[in-house]
């Protein structure tokens, strides 16, 4: 690691589920260890459309952030690397975001993907992160809104 690379990237496999569960539990307290292990198994695949989960870890091996990645296809037929935040500890500065962007670029080049899409949790919307993303050529492209489904009671006949 160089002076600017204070975080390393580690692919998280189902065998390593326990090593990062503490970070998962902080961000998602309703997720059980069994649920996390099942999610990890379901989202860890290589092949024509690789996908997986990776952590950004410090030099002691302590995870500071978890992300999913997958290859997506647009309606226009172009492929993209899609990265989504699962959990991230907030630190002063932009070291985590910078490490994420370096990794995203390396993975996109490795997979020969021309586009990268990254989604963050709302809590990650810090001004310094926006600055780091803009300096790296990223801009807001979509807005995702979340809501709860309203289930109607089953009709009685």
């Amino acid at each position: 690691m160089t002076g600017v690379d204070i975080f390393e990237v580690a692919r998280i496999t189902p065998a390593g589920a326990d090593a990062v569960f503490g970070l998962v539990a902080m961000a998602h307290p309703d997720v059980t260890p069994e649920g996390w292990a099942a999610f990890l198994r379901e989202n860890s695949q290589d092949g024509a459309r690789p996908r997986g989960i990776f952590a950004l870890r410090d030099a002691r091996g302590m995870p500071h952030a978890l992300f999913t990645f997958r290859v997506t296809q647009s309606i226009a037929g172009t492929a993209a690397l899609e990265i989504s935040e699962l959990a991230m500890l907030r630190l002063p500065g932009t070291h985590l975001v910078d490490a994420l962007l370096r990794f995203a670029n390396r993975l996109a080049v490795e997979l020969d993907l021309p586009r990268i899409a990254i989604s963050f949790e709302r809590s990650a919307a810090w001004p310094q992160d926006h600055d780091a993303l803009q300096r790296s050529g990223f801009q807001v492209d979509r807005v995702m809104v979340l809501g709860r489904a309203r289930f109607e009671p089953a009709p009685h006949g």
Side-chain angles (χ1 to χ4, degrees):
M1 285 189 281
T2 66
V4 294
D5 291 330
I6 63 172
F7 293 103
E8 63 182 11
V9 175
R11 180 99 180 247
I12 305 300
T13 64
D18 292 346
V20 296
F21 182 71
L23 182 55
V24 171
M26 285 186 350
H28 305 280
D30 54 329
V31 174
T32 65
E34 297 79 22
W36 166 240
F39 179 85
L40 192 51
R41 279 190 305 275
E42 186 175 311
N43 287 280
S44 296
Q45 288 185 355
D46 289 318
R49 293 220 172 192
R51 61 184 179 177
I53 297 174
F54 67 92
L56 295 174
R57 302 185 309 193
D58 63 22
R60 299 168 297 158
M62 185 68 69
H64 288 252
L66 288 170
F67 296 89
T68 62
F69 74 89
R70 66 186 183 140
V71 175
T72 62
Q73 197 78 25
S74 75
I75 195 167
T78 58
L81 173 62
E82 185 177 286
I83 295 176
S84 296
E85 177 188 335
L86 287 176
M88 185 162 45
L89 298 175
R90 303 308 305 164
L91 298 172
T94 61
H95 293 293
L96 272 171
V97 170
D98 293 340
L100 169 65
L101 295 174
R102 283 191 299 275
F103 168 72
N105 191 65
R106 282 194 312 267
L107 185 57
V109 168
E110 178 184 314
L111 297 174
D112 196 26
L113 299 171
R115 299 190 66 195
I116 302 168
I118 302 173
S119 66
F120 292 100
E121 294 294 328
R122 188 174 36 172
S123 63
W126 286 22
Q128 71 264 22
D129 293 342
H130 288 275
D131 293 343
L133 291 164
Q134 286 178 341
R135 281 193 311 272
S136 294
F138 285 82
Q139 62 186 1
V140 174
D141 183 61
R142 294 178 174 262
V143 175
M144 178 185 288
V145 296
L146 299 173
R148 295 203 177 270
R150 294 184 208 155
F151 294 100
E152 300 296 324
H156 297 290

